[in-house]
Amino acid sequence: MDFASDNAVGASRPVLDALLAANAGPAPAYGADSWTKAAETRLSEVFETPVAAFLVATGTASNALALGAVCPPWGAVFCHEDAHVIDDECGAPEMATGGAKLVGVAGEGGKLTPDGLAQTLARFPHGLVKQVQAAAISLSQATECGTVYTPAEIAALAAIARAHRCRVHMDGARFANALVHLGCSPAGMTWKAGVDVLSFGLTKNGALACEAVIFFDPALAEAFPYQRKRAGHTLSKGRLLGAQLCAMLDGDHWLANARHANAMAHRLRKGLLAAGARAPWPSEVNEVFAILPRRADAALKAAGSRYYDWGARNLPQHERPGADEVYIRLVASYATTPEEVDRFSAIVRAA
Amino acid sequence: MDFASDNAVGASRPVLDALLAANAGPAPAYGADSWTKAAETRLSEVFETPVAAFLVATGTASNALALGAVCPPWGAVFCHEDAHVIDDECGAPEMATGGAKLVGVAGEGGKLTPDGLAQTLARFPHGLVKQVQAAAISLSQATECGTVYTPAEIAALAAIARAHRCRVHMDGARFANALVHLGCSPAGMTWKAGVDVLSFGLTKNGALACEAVIFFDPALAEAFPYQRKRAGHTLSKGRLLGAQLCAMLDGDHWLANARHANAMAHRLRKGLLAAGARAPWPSEVNEVFAILPRRADAALKAAGSRYYDWGARNLPQHERPGADEVYIRLVASYATTPEEVDRFSAIVRAA
Amino acid sequence: MDFASDNAVGASRPVLDALLAANAGPAPAYGADSWTKAAETRLSEVFETPVAAFLVATGTASNALALGAVCPPWGAVFCHEDAHVIDDECGAPEMATGGAKLVGVAGEGGKLTPDGLAQTLARFPHGLVKQVQAAAISLSQATECGTVYTPAEIAALAAIARAHRCRVHMDGARFANALVHLGCSPAGMTWKAGVDVLSFGLTKNGALACEAVIFFDPALAEAFPYQRKRAGHTLSKGRLLGAQLCAMLDGDHWLANARHANAMAHRLRKGLLAAGARAPWPSEVNEVFAILPRRADAALKAAGSRYYDWGARNLPQHERPGADEVYIRLVASYATTPEEVDRFSAIVRAA
Amino acid sequence: MDFASDNAVGASRPVLDALLAANAGPAPAYGADSWTKAAETRLSEVFETPVAAFLVATGTASNALALGAVCPPWGAVFCHEDAHVIDDECGAPEMATGGAKLVGVAGEGGKLTPDGLAQTLARFPHGLVKQVQAAAISLSQATECGTVYTPAEIAALAAIARAHRCRVHMDGARFANALVHLGCSPAGMTWKAGVDVLSFGLTKNGALACEAVIFFDPALAEAFPYQRKRAGHTLSKGRLLGAQLCAMLDGDHWLANARHANAMAHRLRKGLLAAGARAPWPSEVNEVFAILPRRADAALKAAGSRYYDWGARNLPQHERPGADEVYIRLVASYATTPEEVDRFSAIVRAA
């Protein structure tokens, strides 16, 4: 019953098999191998447009380098105030941009709203020299609350961004989970809605260490090979990344993994609600945010469960945990089993 | 006959097996897993002193972050003028240090000499505000010419460094190859000779993507967890790195791989000399630098060989290739076979 | 009637005279001149403790370099959400720190509160690798609302800072104005209350271009000569700065200038209130924030007045300007005359 | 007899008078004042083309920010190995570029040669990802040896630069001295010869603290207002800079000052040669590099002379000082008198 994170499990079997297969024999280094080239081609197919794609090993690298490609040192990136890029990456976007500013914007359920974004952007008029210049917005799809932007919501935010000369970045650490929830196409959730550059996450979804920075306007990527290299993110045995990406896309393995993880989270949320717990947000992807009695928390931990206490700061006032309650985050993965889920809910019910 | 680089081959079997074994089940993320912890313990044993070790996926990250830990933005790092850190990492050390200066020092065969180093350091007096401050030296072990510093040579350079308030970094991308050539201990080639921080390379030696930044004075590593994280180099599924490192150390696999690669290079060099080629430097590790007739080069390429032409800039005048010659670099790996080597030499002999 | 800013006027007569006097003859460059040395000595006297002081030409340089001396690239600086350092310096602190994060904290009247600061700091636990590390707080004395921290308030915030391993920076662009308002000593308002490093502003108070970065713990300043030089802020004809600073301190010219400017602001505020305007904050220094009818605004502008409209975002709800009102900032300087002030008020009264 | 540097003297009388005149009354801040605007207009006239000009207070800021405008963090700037930008600015160009690399190129008499530049650039092929990308060259006019590039020499180097996609920067700390030596026009020595951006120095030539970054292609300057601001180099009382620049250009004061300083250096060199000293380079500007007997050096110092010993590293072998000789640099300024010069020579002759 490990619900700590979707990065607590290893790679799925097809990913491992692909790694083993790709390992044999010599191959050109630094991403000139056939797996990496195939991965780039495949991504253009999946996204229905020619993309410039660059594989890296971590989500933080993917986000930071993507922002570094669209925001100058004197620029600002606007994101939700709880976004991973602003709160959980130890300043990586600041490093990759050469010192840009990340500006947090409030919004319920982890989501930027058009009004919130527009009001914040209005405080950064273009050309006002004493201020950093609005350069990009960053949307987390799914968000830190496990919620999902619809393509229409993305398009509305992207339109505001564009009116303020901002590029649109999407942090897609849980891209597949959001995609299968919405049932739309990768293109529909990205460039068709105004996204310029995507951090396409696979590690949480069954890869071992594989993310892609995907530019829908290849002109934005002109300097990216150098930006990635000087950040130390160009793997010498690049097939490690290429093989993972191919394996994830093959036979829509990435979508199947995401569907399973989402389903497990929904099952878990349903079980917890039935057991009397509260859950402030809908479980649109593979995460459940829940408020449990402390005694249930104790029973779960006694049974060896792993999960994180979560900061209640941004819960609406009426949803906040009471003195005898805890607020936790639970994450399901491609490997989560219905049995684990049901056992977890049963412990809550019993406690 | 792929002698392009020791990163042209995949991982060795024991590394793959370890990856597969480590993949099963959940594990704490971001390096809190048992493989990574074991790796850190094992490194302290191997180096006979308590070290602070941090695993990363690329050699460039390892070098750049190591230098970032010992050189401030207003500092200078002194290295051979052909060193990988100054010439082949697209400014990664500059990025990780926040803009420090790398100062190249001349020296035959890729090696810094005490005189050369001392003369260069003398131009950077401590406390002269208009100049960057000498902060570190970086030694490549083995060097870009495939030569190796003896522990006494390292100690002599380290003493000069220390007299100028400089820390000593070793770029050990081919650490094992140098070690088995010298037949000394890991401790003897590093901290006992004055090395403060080591980029311990395993990728070229049979891992898939695994390097360690090793601090012999753990106090230097105090901020390193943040420095690594903000560079995007903290893998979420950290066991990928931990398992590789353990597999490499287990049963001295790393030393066996290096011995084999070195032996193949020696065999190749001997074969080429016998075939009439010239070789300016001794092959102290797994590299051969050779001057061949153009017709041999053509025959080799026609036979599908892969290797790089090399810059002759730093060859002594009398060693330089003539108009009908090429200067090339050949690298053997843990997977190179005697048959490939002999076939290669035979083609040269025939041509 | 120029109330746009206290930087709209030139230097006061004693400053000019000092510049002329210091200009004659040769002098050592880069701050080794006798005026600069005298300035450093005088500052130790004024602050009743040996300080390390460094003169620069702009307030932004002073703030940014001061923060760069106490906050690493992976650190965070906590300041009021409207502070000059976070909002009006185009990312200079981010540049000087190598990419640190500035975290805005809410607080009425431009002032941090102990509760607000403590709650924000609590979200940045020391040693949590995924987050930037709390490194410094920055207090504006006076604040962006023209309010002033008492020494007791500074001490309370500094105690919280220290408990979170943070250094305390004071942005003293209007240091003298705050000081004469409080009637306390320079020492009492700084190091005795827990301030580690001060941006000591003189430009707004009658100098031409002169600020000092003052370290109360000289050990913090060890690398500052290099940090200032590589930022291009070490003037070659350093006497330009030294002479200004000496002239300002001579005969307490700086205090007289500040007293005059404050008195003019008080007179202006009183006049405006009497004329029916509203003023949300007390005028503790040389600034007046006022809400005027639009017709008064029009009459003032017709009469050639200069001042800035101000953002009402952080006014308490009940203080906000109505549809027929404007919210403006008025700044008095050492050169403001009672006549200008009274004429301005009279126009408002008439309108 | 202060020949330490042309920054050892204060401002010339017309500059002071202009400062005093510009000081009266209020003026818009941050360079929106009329003096700064006039300065920008005047520079377009002087250079016979519409320029984008930005005033700053130091030469280091001017050089570093100019390079920051034309070189990305993953770029390289090629300059003479003894250039001020590489050797005397404590890494300021590295800071302003976000970590670019400065690559030193050898060349006699402080001058880059077409061959030397081309050979070095050839080692940095465009698009080779492992290396920093050639982005700019920087020429010092006059050089660190007091020599001067002719317009034809500049054009030849600029052509090579352009063929390698490099922009051309000129460090004109002694621009006027070089200009009057050549007798050509400002346009002829800059954009007509291929210069893209100029650090136009006035401080050494009679200003107090005033340099201009001048872009001949204004499109390059698009982000410069932000780059200058975040570096803390936008003075609030900007008239300080504008007034100096206007005063220097008025009535060709800058050219008169430079002519005088050059003439004094020529007189000094002639006097020293007549007194038996050696002088390795022609004195094309206001500097004399001389080799004196140690006893002359002692006599000069006893008489209160000030000047710097200079590094003989780059003197041709046959020019190097012997054991009983010193190698020194002497700099004349707009304020140097023939009497000082002759007295200095007389002491050498006597010794």
Side-chain angles (χ1 to χ4, degrees):
Chain A
M1 293 188 297
D2 195 316
F3 296 105
S5 175
D6 29 11
N7 57 34
V9 290
S12 67
R13 193 66 235 177
V15 170
L16 290 179
D17 288 343
L19 275 181
L20 293 179
N23 191 71
Y30 298 117
D33 62 276
S34 58
W35 297 270
T36 301
K37 289 181 180 303
E40 292 165 0
T41 306
R42 295 289 304 281
L43 286 169
S44 291
E45 292 163 8
V46 164
F47 283 93
E48 303 172 52
T49 189
V51 301
F54 299 85
L55 308 187
V56 295
T58 77
T60 295
S62 169
N63 280 334
L65 292 173
L67 293 175
V70 294
C71 182
W74 51 90
V77 175
F78 297 82
C79 60
H80 190 275
E81 62 185 356
D82 293 329
H84 201 267
V85 290
I86 202 174
D87 224 33
D88 297 305
E89 300 187 341
C90 198
E94 285 87 344
M95 185 182 188
T97 56
K101 196 185 285 285
L102 275 79
V103 179
V105 181
E108 201 163 296
K111 288 167 78 170
L112 292 178
T113 61
D115 274 6
L117 178 61
Q119 280 165 28
T120 303
L121 280 167
R123 292 198 290 117
F124 291 81
H126 176 73
L128 184 60
V129 174
K130 69 177 186 169
Q131 282 191 318
V132 288
Q133 298 294 295
I137 69 166
S138 177
L139 306 176
S140 304
Q141 179 78 322
T143 75
E144 271 60 40
C145 293
T147 52
V148 167
Y149 292 100
T150 64
E153 288 172 332
I154 295 167
L157 293 166
I160 293 166
R162 220 157 295 277
H164 288 82
R165 306 178 178 223
C166 285
R167 293 289 184 171
V168 180
H169 167 249
M170 178 176 279
D171 173 0
R174 294 190 179 92
F175 184 87
N177 304 88
L179 188 75
V180 299
H181 168 74
L182 291 170
C184 65
S185 72
M189 203 169 86
T190 56
W191 62 274
K192 288 187 176 171
V195 174
D196 295 302
V197 56
L198 166 68
S199 295
F200 182 61
L202 293 174
T203 308
K204 291 180 192 294
N205 192 30
L208 199 46
C210 185
E211 314 276 317
V213 181
I214 299 178
F215 294 92
F216 299 109
D217 174 358
L220 287 176
E222 211 176 301
F224 201 79
Y226 314 114
Q227 294 176 301
R228 180 175 61 168
K229 178 68 181 172
R230 76 190 280 268
H233 279 292
T234 305
L235 262 61
S236 60
K237 298 186 176 177
R239 62 177 113 175
L240 165 63
L241 299 174
Q244 288 182 77
L245 198 137
C246 290
M248 288 299 288
L249 296 184
D250 275 353
D252 288 342
H253 181 53
W254 65 306
L255 301 179
N257 277 1
R259 274 193 204 100
H260 177 82
N262 285 9
M264 290 301 101
H266 298 167
R267 183 182 187 114
L268 181 56
R269 187 169 189 267
K270 211 170 142 191
L272 291 175
L273 291 175
R278 294 189 285 136
W281 321 112
S283 278
E284 297 182 339
V285 292
N286 60 326
E287 295 174 293
V288 183
F289 293 84
I291 297 158
L292 302 184
R294 285 196 183 280
R295 62 178 186 284
D297 179 50
L300 287 163
K301 279 170 180 158
S305 296
R306 288 190 69 240
Y307 49 84
Y308 282 111
D309 289 347
W310 215 244
R313 180 168 69 106
N314 288 314
L315 280 183
Q317 198 61 48
H318 66 281
E319 297 271 25
R320 300 237 171 125
D324 58 346
E325 290 178 317
V326 294
Y327 181 47
I328 65 170
R329 186 191 71 162
L330 303 163
V331 192
S333 79
Y334 78 89
T336 301
T337 62
E339 291 70 32
E340 291 179 277
V341 166
D342 295 346
R343 189 145 45 97
F344 192 93
S345 300
I347 293 171
V348 174
R349 201 160 45 237
Chain B
M1 293 188 298
D2 194 317
F3 296 104
S5 176
D6 28 12
N7 57 32
V9 289
S12 68
R13 193 67 232 179
V15 170
L16 289 179
D17 289 343
L19 274 182
L20 292 179
N23 191 70
Y30 298 116
D33 62 276
S34 58
W35 297 270
T36 301
K37 288 181 179 304
E40 292 164 3
T41 306
R42 295 289 303 281
L43 286 169
S44 290
E45 292 163 9
V46 165
F47 283 93
E48 302 173 54
T49 189
V51 300
F54 299 85
L55 308 187
V56 295
T58 76
T60 295
S62 170
N63 280 334
L65 291 172
L67 293 175
V70 295
C71 182
W74 50 91
V77 175
F78 298 81
C79 61
H80 190 275
E81 62 185 356
D82 294 329
H84 201 266
V85 290
I86 201 173
D87 224 32
D88 297 306
E89 300 187 342
C90 196
E94 285 87 345
M95 183 182 189
T97 55
K101 196 185 284 286
L102 275 78
V103 179
V105 181
E108 200 162 302
K111 288 167 79 170
L112 291 178
T113 61
D115 274 5
L117 179 61
Q119 280 165 26
T120 303
L121 280 167
R123 292 199 291 117
F124 291 81
H126 176 73
L128 183 61
V129 174
K130 69 176 187 169
Q131 281 190 319
V132 288
Q133 298 294 295
I137 70 167
S138 178
L139 306 176
S140 304
Q141 179 78 324
T143 74
E144 271 60 40
C145 293
T147 53
V148 167
Y149 292 100
T150 64
E153 288 172 330
I154 295 167
L157 293 166
I160 294 166
R162 219 157 297 277
H164 287 83
R165 307 178 177 222
C166 286
R167 294 289 185 171
V168 180
H169 168 250
M170 178 176 278
D171 173 0
R174 293 191 179 94
F175 184 88
N177 304 87
L179 189 74
V180 299
H181 168 74
L182 291 170
C184 66
S185 72
M189 204 169 86
T190 56
W191 62 273
K192 287 186 176 172
V195 174
D196 295 300
V197 56
L198 167 67
S199 295
F200 181 61
L202 293 174
T203 308
K204 291 181 192 293
N205 192 30
L208 199 46
C210 184
E211 313 277 316
V213 181
I214 299 178
F215 294 92
F216 298 109
D217 175 358
L220 287 176
E222 212 176 300
F224 201 79
Y226 313 114
Q227 294 176 301
R228 182 176 58 168
K229 178 68 183 171
R230 79 189 279 269
H233 280 291
T234 306
L235 263 62
S236 60
K237 299 186 177 177
R239 62 177 112 174
L240 165 63
L241 299 174
Q244 288 180 78
L245 198 137
C246 289
M248 289 297 289
L249 297 184
D250 275 353
D252 288 343
H253 181 53
W254 66 306
L255 301 178
N257 278 0
R259 273 191 205 102
H260 177 82
N262 285 9
M264 290 302 101
H266 299 168
R267 183 184 188 111
L268 180 56
R269 185 169 190 268
K270 211 170 142 193
L272 291 174
L273 291 175
R278 292 187 288 135
W281 322 112
S283 278
E284 296 180 339
V285 290
N286 59 324
E287 296 174 293
V288 182
F289 293 84
I291 297 158
L292 303 183
R294 286 196 182 279
R295 64 179 184 284
D297 179 50
L300 286 164
K301 278 170 181 158
S305 295
R306 288 190 68 240
Y307 49 83
Y308 282 111
D309 289 348
W310 215 243
R313 178 169 71 104
N314 288 314
L315 280 183
Q317 199 60 48
H318 66 280
E319 297 272 23
R320 301 236 171 126
D324 58 347
E325 290 178 317
V326 294
Y327 181 48
I328 66 171
R329 186 191 72 162
L330 304 163
V331 193
S333 79
Y334 77 90
T336 302
T337 62
E339 291 70 30
E340 293 179 277
V341 166
D342 295 346
R343 188 144 46 98
F344 191 94
S345 300
I347 293 171
V348 174
R349 200 161 45 240
Chain C
M1 294 187 298
D2 195 315
F3 296 105
S5 176
D6 29 11
N7 57 32
V9 290
S12 68
R13 193 66 234 177
V15 170
L16 289 179
D17 289 343
L19 274 182
L20 293 179
N23 190 70
Y30 297 116
D33 63 275
S34 58
W35 297 270
T36 301
K37 289 181 178 305
E40 292 164 0
T41 306
R42 296 288 304 280
L43 287 169
S44 291
E45 292 163 10
V46 165
F47 283 93
E48 304 173 52
T49 189
V51 302
F54 299 85
L55 308 186
V56 295
T58 76
T60 295
S62 170
N63 280 334
L65 292 173
L67 293 175
V70 294
C71 182
W74 51 91
V77 176
F78 297 81
C79 60
H80 191 275
E81 61 185 358
D82 294 329
H84 201 267
V85 290
I86 202 174
D87 224 33
D88 298 306
E89 301 187 340
C90 197
E94 284 88 345
M95 184 181 188
T97 56
K101 195 186 284 286
L102 276 77
V103 179
V105 181
E108 200 162 297
K111 288 167 77 170
L112 292 178
T113 60
D115 274 6
L117 179 61
Q119 280 164 27
T120 304
L121 280 167
R123 292 199 290 117
F124 291 81
H126 176 74
L128 183 61
V129 174
K130 69 177 186 169
Q131 282 190 317
V132 288
Q133 297 294 295
I137 70 167
S138 178
L139 305 176
S140 305
Q141 179 77 324
T143 73
E144 271 61 39
C145 293
T147 53
V148 167
Y149 293 100
T150 65
E153 287 172 331
I154 295 167
L157 293 166
I160 293 166
R162 221 156 295 279
H164 287 83
R165 306 178 180 222
C166 286
R167 293 289 183 171
V168 180
H169 168 250
M170 179 175 278
D171 173 0
R174 294 190 180 93
F175 184 88
N177 304 87
L179 189 75
V180 299
H181 168 73
L182 290 170
C184 66
S185 71
M189 204 169 85
T190 55
W191 62 274
K192 287 187 176 172
V195 174
D196 295 300
V197 57
L198 167 68
S199 295
F200 182 61
L202 293 173
T203 308
K204 291 179 192 295
N205 192 30
L208 199 46
C210 184
E211 314 276 319
V213 181
I214 300 178
F215 293 91
F216 299 109
D217 174 359
L220 287 176
E222 211 177 300
F224 201 79
Y226 314 114
Q227 293 177 301
R228 181 175 60 168
K229 179 67 182 174
R230 77 190 280 269
H233 280 291
T234 305
L235 262 63
S236 60
K237 299 186 176 177
R239 62 177 114 174
L240 165 63
L241 299 175
Q244 288 181 80
L245 198 138
C246 289
M248 289 297 289
L249 296 184
D250 274 354
D252 288 343
H253 181 52
W254 65 306
L255 300 179
N257 277 1
R259 273 192 205 100
H260 177 82
N262 285 10
M264 290 301 101
H266 299 167
R267 184 184 188 112
L268 181 56
R269 188 171 189 267
K270 212 170 141 192
L272 291 175
L273 291 175
R278 293 187 285 136
W281 322 112
S283 278
E284 297 182 339
V285 291
N286 60 325
E287 295 175 293
V288 183
F289 293 84
I291 297 159
L292 302 183
R294 287 197 181 279
R295 61 179 187 282
D297 179 52
L300 287 164
K301 279 171 181 159
S305 297
R306 287 190 69 242
Y307 50 82
Y308 283 110
D309 290 346
W310 215 245
R313 179 169 70 107
N314 287 313
L315 280 183
Q317 198 61 47
H318 66 280
E319 297 271 25
R320 300 236 171 126
D324 58 346
E325 291 179 317
V326 294
Y327 181 49
I328 65 171
R329 186 192 72 162
L330 303 163
V331 192
S333 79
Y334 78 91
T336 302
T337 63
E339 291 69 32
E340 291 179 277
V341 165
D342 296 345
R343 187 144 47 96
F344 192 93
S345 299
I347 293 171
V348 174
R349 202 160 44 238
Chain D
M1 293 188 299
D2 194 316
F3 296 104
S5 177
D6 29 12
N7 57 32
V9 289
S12 68
R13 193 66 234 178
V15 170
L16 289 179
D17 288 343
L19 273 181
L20 292 179
N23 190 69
Y30 298 116
D33 64 274
S34 58
W35 297 270
T36 301
K37 288 181 179 303
E40 292 164 1
T41 306
R42 295 288 305 281
L43 287 169
S44 291
E45 292 163 10
V46 165
F47 283 94
E48 303 172 55
T49 188
V51 302
F54 298 85
L55 309 186
V56 294
T58 76
T60 296
S62 170
N63 280 334
L65 291 173
L67 293 175
V70 294
C71 181
W74 51 90
V77 175
F78 297 81
C79 60
H80 190 274
E81 62 186 357
D82 293 330
H84 201 267
V85 290
I86 201 173
D87 224 33
D88 297 306
E89 300 188 342
C90 196
E94 284 87 345
M95 184 181 189
T97 55
K101 195 186 285 285
L102 276 79
V103 179
V105 181
E108 200 162 300
K111 289 168 78 171
L112 291 178
T113 60
D115 274 6
L117 179 61
Q119 280 164 26
T120 304
L121 280 167
R123 292 198 291 117
F124 290 81
H126 175 73
L128 183 61
V129 174
K130 69 177 188 169
Q131 282 190 317
V132 288
Q133 298 294 295
I137 71 167
S138 177
L139 307 175
S140 304
Q141 178 79 322
T143 73
E144 272 60 41
C145 293
T147 52
V148 167
Y149 292 100
T150 64
E153 287 172 331
I154 295 167
L157 293 166
I160 293 166
R162 221 157 295 278
H164 287 83
R165 307 179 178 220
C166 285
R167 294 289 183 170
V168 179
H169 168 250
M170 178 176 277
D171 173 0
R174 294 191 179 93
F175 183 89
N177 304 88
L179 188 75
V180 300
H181 168 74
L182 291 170
C184 65
S185 72
M189 203 169 85
T190 55
W191 62 273
K192 287 186 176 172
V195 174
D196 295 300
V197 56
L198 167 67
S199 296
F200 182 61
L202 293 173
T203 307
K204 290 180 192 294
N205 192 30
L208 200 45
C210 185
E211 313 276 319
V213 181
I214 299 178
F215 294 92
F216 299 109
D217 174 359
L220 286 177
E222 210 177 301
F224 201 78
Y226 314 113
Q227 292 176 302
R228 181 176 60 167
K229 178 68 182 173
R230 78 190 281 268
H233 280 291
T234 305
L235 262 61
S236 60
K237 299 186 176 177
R239 61 177 113 175
L240 165 62
L241 300 175
Q244 289 181 77
L245 198 137
C246 289
M248 290 297 289
L249 297 184
D250 275 353
D252 288 344
H253 182 53
W254 66 305
L255 300 179
N257 277 1
R259 272 190 206 102
H260 177 82
N262 286 9
M264 290 301 102
H266 299 168
R267 185 184 186 111
L268 181 56
R269 185 170 191 268
K270 211 169 142 192
L272 291 175
L273 291 175
R278 293 187 288 136
W281 321 113
S283 278
E284 297 181 337
V285 291
N286 60 324
E287 295 174 293
V288 183
F289 294 83
I291 297 158
L292 303 184
R294 287 197 181 277
R295 63 180 184 283
D297 179 51
L300 287 164
K301 279 171 180 157
S305 296
R306 288 190 69 241
Y307 50 82
Y308 283 110
D309 289 346
W310 216 243
R313 178 169 70 106
N314 288 313
L315 280 182
Q317 199 59 49
H318 67 279
E319 296 273 25
R320 301 237 171 123
D324 58 346
E325 290 178 317
V326 294
Y327 181 48
I328 65 171
R329 186 192 72 162
L330 304 163
V331 192
S333 79
Y334 76 90
T336 302
T337 62
E339 291 70 30
E340 293 178 277
V341 166
D342 295 345
R343 188 144 46 96
F344 192 93
S345 300
I347 293 172
V348 174
R349 199 159 46 239

